[in-house]
Amino acid sequence: MASNPLKGWQVDRASIQFIGRDLQRPECIIAQPDGTLWSADARGGVMRIDPDGSQRLLAPTITDSAPVDFQQRYVQSQGASLPNGLALTADGDFIICNWGLDRIERLDHQGRLTVLHDHLEGRPLGKTNFPLRDSRGRIWFTVTTTQQPWTDSINSGVLDGYIGVIDEQGIRIVAEGFGGTNEIRFDEREEWLYVVESNVRRISRLRLRPDGSLGEREVYGPAELPGFPDGFAFDAHGNLWVTLVMSDQLIALTPEGEVLTLLDDGDPQATARLNRHYADKTLTPAIMQAARGTLAPWLASLTFGGPDLRTVYLGSLQGTRIPYFRAPVAGQPLIHWR
């Protein structure tokens, strides 16, 4: 078996470049083969960023959001649009999990927005986080928690996160009982659905059955990661790259279960304080806000792009631009580009 190209490798900070300007909460990034980027934007839509750096906001109403209090905008996160995870449909429209409005939306390339779902089984959806389209056109999605504010779910230890699916039968829950359900990804053969459980700091996976239901469930990798996982993606070697939000680290889980640190942009003292209060179940928004790096504050996601899928773009919750760098291995091809 070929040696793992990530063994002994770390991101060279001097090689990191940036694209985008004045972005608002670029949490999720879609990288198209021609070099075009689309990032979630807190003004209610997505920002198109062309390879030459020019950009255009695609949203129902384009306005400049006034500065807001961190507690109001990011902790309460109610009543104001906060596009979070993005997925592309076969027609090139965007499926958006709107964290601020607790709903799933569809945005076309003319900026027309349609609310697909905001209730399920007669109840509000909760904090919708991330959508994913599979090879059969089904839309899978996650809900992190139904608690308000969402930060309460970390200290409480409640396992109310769930995974749903939207297909020809409608919308339904297919798995529940997760600790802060965040991003989800299929392996290349769509045999397993991998799940980030942010609040309990682990990655789980569930076997996908032929009928579209989810079966066998297990923890993938360590029982507890060294921080709060947020986004992740497989590379072509089988490594699972994972971002750790607030401590602002990028790690990789090798197929053998080893944890590799690829980039550490966190503040060591703030991260130690964050971890201490997490263990004591005494986290506050102020402690969380203080733990952040400088490259992509509150590092949230990663996307492999470029013609060879070796350019890594980093999304964040508090950044205003997108860092990117070259990786020694290509990313796993995404289903929507096949």
Side-chain angles (χ1 to χ4, degrees):
M1 182 177 179
S3 61
N4 193 328
L6 292 189
K7 291 290 187 70
W9 179 84
Q10 290 188 325
V11 179
D12 177 6
R13 293 180 68 99
S15 72
I16 297 174
Q17 301 180 68
F18 296 87
I19 191 169
R21 66 185 186 281
D22 301 322
L23 306 178
Q24 293 191 22
R25 202 177 181 273
E27 199 278 349
C28 184
I29 299 164
I30 292 176
Q32 293 186 293
D34 66 359
T36 302
L37 302 180
W38 299 90
S39 71
D41 194 281
R43 284 161 287 201
V46 296
M47 182 70 78
R48 173 181 174 139
I49 306 173
D50 292 321
D52 64 1
S54 59
Q55 58 189 53
R56 178 174 63 88
L57 181 62
L58 183 67
T61 303
I62 299 176
T63 59
D64 289 326
S65 299
V68 292
D69 178 76
F70 176 84
Q71 280 261 3
Q72 175 190 348
R73 188 69 160 147
Y74 292 97
V75 179
Q76 299 299 328
S77 300
Q78 292 177 280
S81 181
L82 281 178
N84 203 72
L86 306 175
L88 272 178
T89 69
D91 298 327
D93 293 341
F94 297 94
I95 302 297
I96 299 173
C97 279
N98 196 310
W99 177 266
L101 298 175
D102 298 358
R103 67 192 192 188
I104 301 172
E105 306 166 335
R106 184 176 184 132
L107 180 71
D108 69 18
H109 278 268
Q110 285 70 50
R112 294 175 298 215
L113 187 73
T114 303
V115 177
L116 298 180
H117 298 281
D118 55 11
H119 282 73
L120 176 55
E121 298 176 354
R123 296 175 295 175
L125 283 176
K127 284 296 169 196
T128 56
N129 191 304
F130 189 80
L132 176 70
R133 183 167 69 87
D134 68 16
S135 60
R136 295 176 55 181
R138 295 175 295 203
I139 300 296
W140 303 77
F141 66 92
T142 63
V143 170
T144 300
T145 181
T146 57
Q147 291 203 349
Q148 296 286 2
W150 65 271
T151 47
D152 287 353
S153 66
I154 303 176
N155 290 333
S156 70
V158 64
L159 301 178
D160 66 342
Y162 64 88
I163 300 171
V165 69
I166 305 169
D167 58 14
E168 66 277 358
Q169 301 175 46
I171 182 172
R172 63 189 183 280
I173 295 174
V174 290
E176 50 194 334
F178 297 95
T181 334
N182 207 307
E183 288 197 12
I184 47 177
R185 302 281 184 189
F186 283 107
D187 60 8
E188 194 166 10
R189 296 183 177 180
E190 290 190 356
E191 294 176 336
W192 292 90
L193 180 66
Y194 289 75
V195 185
V196 168
E197 294 189 74
S198 295
N199 293 359
V200 292
R201 296 185 166 192
R202 69 185 177 211
I203 307 296
S204 296
R205 68 177 186 175
L206 300 92
R207 189 175 293 279
L208 177 62
R209 297 179 177 133
D211 65 358
S213 63
L214 297 174
E216 176 188 350
R217 176 174 169 179
E218 62 187 30
V219 174
Y220 182 79
E224 184 174 321
L225 295 170
F228 295 97
D230 193 316
F232 64 167
F234 278 103
D235 67 25
H237 194 87
N239 301 299
L240 186 60
W241 297 46
V242 184
T243 61
L244 302 181
V245 67
M246 293 180 280
S247 54
D248 284 6
Q249 296 176 314
L250 177 63
I251 64 172
L253 307 182
T254 71
E256 297 75 34
E258 186 177 356
V259 179
L260 307 176
T261 299
L262 307 181
L263 175 68
D264 188 347
D265 186 48
D267 178 314
Q269 291 184 334
T271 296
R273 185 179 182 219
L274 178 81
N275 290 336
R276 188 167 61 250
H277 282 275
Y278 170 73
D280 294 339
K281 299 187 182 300
T282 54
L283 269 180
T284 65
I287 293 169
M288 294 164 63
Q289 184 182 17
R292 51 183 285 173
T294 58
L295 291 172
W298 276 30
L299 179 61
S301 67
L302 68 119
T303 301
F304 286 94
D308 56 2
L309 289 178
R310 285 184 54 193
T311 301
V312 178
Y313 298 94
L314 300 177
S316 64
L317 295 174
Q318 297 190 55
T320 57
R321 54 183 183 166
I322 298 169
Y324 66 96
F325 57 86
R326 295 285 289 169
V329 62
Q332 175 181 296
L334 296 177
I335 289 169
H336 56 256
W337 298 140
R338 294 176 183 173

